Amino acid sequence: MKTGYPRFFVPLIVRELAERLVHWAASKRASEAPNEELTKLLTATGQLALLTAGENYAECCRVYLEAQGKKPIIVVRISFSGALEIFDRMQPTGLRCTHMDIYAVVYPEQLAVEAKAFWQHTGLGISSRCAEFWLENSPFLQPDGRELKGLEAMLPIKEAEIARGVLRRRIGDSLSTEANEVGMEAVYLYPTGMSAISHSATALRKVRSDGLTACRVVIFGFLYVDTFKVLSKVYGFDCKLYGHATPSDLDQLEADLKGGLQIDALYTEFPGNPLLGSVDLDRLYTLSKRHDFLLIVDDTVATSVNANLLCFCDVVCTSLTKMFSGSCNVMGGSMVLNLKSERFELLRKTLDEQFTDTYFPEDVLVMANNSADFEKRVVTASCNAEHVAHLLQQHHTVSQVFYPKVNPTRDIYDHYRRAGRGYGYLLSARFETPEAAIAFHDALNVAKGPSLGTNFTLCCAYTLFAHFSELEWAAQYGVVEHLVRISVGIEDEELLDGLVRRALEAATEKHRSMRLL
């Protein structure tokens, strides 16, 4: 592969920078290292590196990799000017990032799979724009040994700072209601959606953990794969799954809590991905107050344009990479606190203390530009998705359509739906036969890929992408092997209508031929 979704596939330009930094660091004098053992580790053959912009991120990665491989890991801080510092055991200072440093977590090749998992699940790696900037401008990486210019002469620092304010206001305004106006102080920006989830985990650990036992959280619903894995694998939380998120699951959760179950937080999505069911946030929030746990909701699929969710939880996390950007050329994430929450001040204090601004300036500018027409695009994509859902629901080869408007939980979604708004841009379909599903997928002439929320329509065989190694487990929760997920874009409705109808014709032909066998 030449490229791929930037968390699933480390961009080649980031790999190139990592290789050059490891090679350069290994060539430095042994006196740069605190001891001879670390010098030998750094210069050993086959060493690779994961690049991140924050020292607290690097320490998190080091701890995770050492636990996985029981091998010593080296953390190297490299300044833009070419200064090198090797840490024996890091004690993160929490200093604000200036984009003048990169932290290279150097590990042996045997831990490549584990390092890739950390990159994917946490979203804490550097962006391709950051890597490109270092490769093209860092003096010690240039053959001509150019002099170091002022950072502001090379990076749009001031412009990005203004854009950050624009983004925070835009996000806050989008989540606001008459009764709950969200100010900038409640909005936190991160480089990816999963890094927002990661920061919620570190905040939870600081707020709730006694330092002796792991945080215990409930995963309510069949959530996006990396959310479950970052909480359980990377942060070591004790995760209890209520995977169907049905009313009976909610009854069971309430009974378990009354029976003595103690949890620190509950994570859920509204609606869920990929089955698009909606959960009763009112009831969950009541339980969270009664039993003293945080309620954290991912609204990426619903969007703040369509649904008012912040009033019914403590925290809303969003992947800005998706429909907020739409253009599929930049990543970002946000965490927004409910100002009306009893836990607001504690959470804000905790997040302020741990916050490190690692959102690369050029990425910030692209995100600000892309999101200017966010609301308009959500309205268009939601209308298009509703039309596609109707076409699929009426077709004889389709056994079930998963979409908030046609799901059994529609009344729950409607309770949180903003007046005059829609049901989102994402839907999934289950076909009468695997062959019909394959035929439809292959004949649907749109982009194929594992993301969602792009301005162009995107289709994928979701279960095979996300749960290939655990198909039987996923099927227990209704996420069957041949599920087709469609993220509907903002194309002309007539164009989409024709594309979907032709794909359904292909499904009909395959379905008919299979019945004749």
Side-chain angles (χ1 to χ4, degrees):
M1 292 179 65
K2 293 183 178 180
T3 189
Y5 190 70
R7 279 192 305 98
F8 301 162
F9 182 90
V10 181
L12 295 182
I13 196 167
V14 175
R15 297 186 194 184
E16 179 185 351
L17 178 60
E19 291 171 0
R20 291 185 62 179
L21 289 179
V22 169
H23 178 76
W24 173 82
S27 68
K28 298 289 283 184
R29 292 182 305 166
S31 59
E32 299 281 359
N35 59 60
E36 184 178 350
E37 181 183 4
L38 286 177
T39 302
K40 290 180 179 178
L41 288 171
L42 181 61
T43 56
T45 58
Q47 297 288 71
L48 305 174
L50 184 146
L51 305 183
T52 186
E55 62 180 49
N56 49 340
Y57 304 166
E59 173 63 2
C60 180
C61 183
R62 182 192 66 77
V63 170
Y64 174 72
L65 290 181
E66 286 192 347
Q68 298 298 311
K70 309 298 182 184
K71 298 178 183 293
I73 307 299
I74 312 164
V75 176
V76 182
R77 180 167 64 196
I78 302 169
S79 76
F80 192 74
S81 60
L84 170 70
E85 183 179 5
I86 302 177
F87 296 91
D88 188 357
R89 281 292 182 270
M90 290 185 68
Q91 294 296 327
T93 64
L95 296 175
R96 291 177 62 83
C97 176
T98 64
H99 308 291
M100 290 296 286
D101 298 324
I102 278 182
Y103 294 82
V105 183
V106 184
Y107 57 88
E109 191 174 6
Q110 299 93 308
L111 289 178
V113 173
E114 289 79 6
K116 170 62 166 51
F118 182 89
W119 175 280
Q120 175 178 333
H121 301 328
T122 66
L124 297 178
I126 67 168
S127 73
S128 56
R129 285 188 181 87
C130 178
E132 182 179 37
F133 175 76
W134 272 67
L135 285 169
E136 292 182 354
N137 296 286
S138 185
F140 71 95
L141 293 176
Q142 309 307 316
D144 55 7
R146 67 185 63 167
E147 294 183 5
L148 178 64
K149 300 179 182 178
L151 192 62
E152 291 193 7
M154 296 181 288
L155 274 180
I157 301 294
K158 293 181 180 179
E159 295 89 340
E161 189 61 33
I162 295 172
R164 284 186 184 87
V166 170
L167 285 171
R168 292 172 70 194
R169 283 192 296 272
R170 184 172 292 159
I171 293 166
D173 289 346
S174 182
L175 283 158
S176 293
T177 64
E178 290 186 6
N180 192 1
E181 188 173 341
V182 182
M184 288 176 60
E185 74 277 9
V187 181
Y188 296 82
L189 292 179
Y190 300 100
T192 65
M194 282 312 303
S195 64
I197 297 289
S198 295
H199 279 84
S200 76
T202 57
L204 177 63
R205 179 182 281 168
K206 185 171 183 179
V207 168
R208 294 294 190 174
S209 178
D210 57 11
L212 300 176
T213 58
C215 291
R216 188 170 200 190
V217 302
V218 160
I219 307 297
F220 198 76
F222 192 91
L223 306 194
Y224 176 60
V225 58
D226 284 324
T227 299
F228 186 89
K229 290 186 176 179
V230 75
L231 297 175
S232 59
K233 289 184 61 176
V234 176
Y235 290 98
F237 289 179
D238 180 5
C239 296
K240 184 174 177 61
L241 175 65
Y242 294 80
H244 295 284
T246 58
S248 60
D249 263 0
L250 192 45
D251 291 340
Q252 185 61 55
L253 170 64
E254 185 168 7
D256 290 343
L257 291 167
K258 288 180 179 178
L261 173 66
Q262 293 183 333
I263 62 174
D264 299 304
L266 183 148
Y267 284 79
T268 192
E269 295 173 350
F270 190 99
N273 173 21
L275 300 183
L276 288 306
S278 303
V279 297
D280 187 344
L281 294 180
D282 282 284
R283 190 173 168 191
L284 285 175
Y285 203 26
T286 298
L287 289 174
S288 79
K289 296 173 183 177
R290 184 182 303 159
H291 296 279
D292 191 27
F293 61 85
L294 293 172
L295 178 56
I296 301 169
V297 178
D298 185 333
D299 76 336
T300 301
V301 174
T303 75
S304 55
V305 174
N306 284 326
N308 167 31
L309 306 180
L310 186 61
C311 297
F312 306 96
C313 61
D314 297 298
V315 180
V316 166
C317 289
T318 308
S319 174
L320 305 179
T321 310
K322 309 306 192 297
M323 187 56 79
F324 188 79
S325 166
S327 295
C328 206
N329 64 350
V330 69
M331 303 189 82
S334 66
M335 191 186 333
V336 181
L337 307 183
N338 179 2
L339 281 79
K340 303 291 186 180
S341 167
E342 298 172 358
R343 309 168 179 97
F344 171 73
E345 288 298 337
L346 175 61
L347 286 171
R348 182 172 68 168
K349 181 176 182 293
T350 302
L351 288 171
D352 285 346
E353 289 175 352
Q354 74 173 25
F355 184 77
T356 303
D357 180 16
T358 59
Y359 206 176
F360 193 64
E362 292 178 346
D363 291 323
V364 175
L365 292 177
V366 174
M367 181 63 75
N369 181 67
N370 288 355
S371 59
D373 60 348
F374 170 50
E375 181 176 335
K376 178 181 178 181
R377 288 184 290 104
V378 169
V379 171
T380 301
S382 297
C383 290
N384 283 344
E386 190 171 331
H387 178 71
V388 171
H390 177 74
L391 288 177
L392 293 172
Q393 191 178 30
Q394 301 301 312
H395 203 264
H396 66 95
T397 65
V398 179
S399 60
Q400 188 173 2
V401 174
F402 302 92
Y403 188 61
K405 186 175 182 179
V406 300
N407 278 5
T409 56
R410 173 179 173 172
D411 59 331
I412 297 176
Y413 184 98
D414 282 340
H415 177 68
Y416 305 99
R417 184 164 62 94
R418 294 183 187 268
R421 296 307 190 192
Y423 294 86
Y425 55 87
L426 193 68
L427 59 93
S428 298
R430 184 173 182 174
F431 288 76
E432 291 289 346
T433 64
E435 292 79 12
I438 294 170
F440 175 86
H441 173 277
D442 292 353
L444 186 61
N445 190 22
V446 300
K448 303 300 199 303
S451 189
L452 55 88
T454 49
N455 291 336
F456 51 88
T457 297
L458 189 61
C459 175
C460 75
Y462 178 81
T463 314
L464 294 176
F465 267 128
H467 301 285
F468 182 76
S469 61
E470 49 192 16
L471 293 177
E472 290 185 8
W473 173 81
Q476 297 178 59
Y477 300 99
V479 184
V480 297
E481 179 176 345
H482 292 92
L483 191 74
V484 178
R485 192 188 71 179
I486 306 173
S487 173
V488 183
I490 59 174
E491 299 95 338
D492 180 77
E493 185 179 293
E494 290 187 9
L495 170 66
L496 284 173
D497 183 276
L499 293 174
V500 172
R501 289 184 186 277
R502 283 191 287 275
L504 287 171
E505 289 173 3
T508 296
E509 184 177 344
K510 176 59 70 171
H511 184 68
R512 184 183 300 117
S513 65
M514 294 302 299
R515 292 182 62 182
L516 293 175
L517 293 178

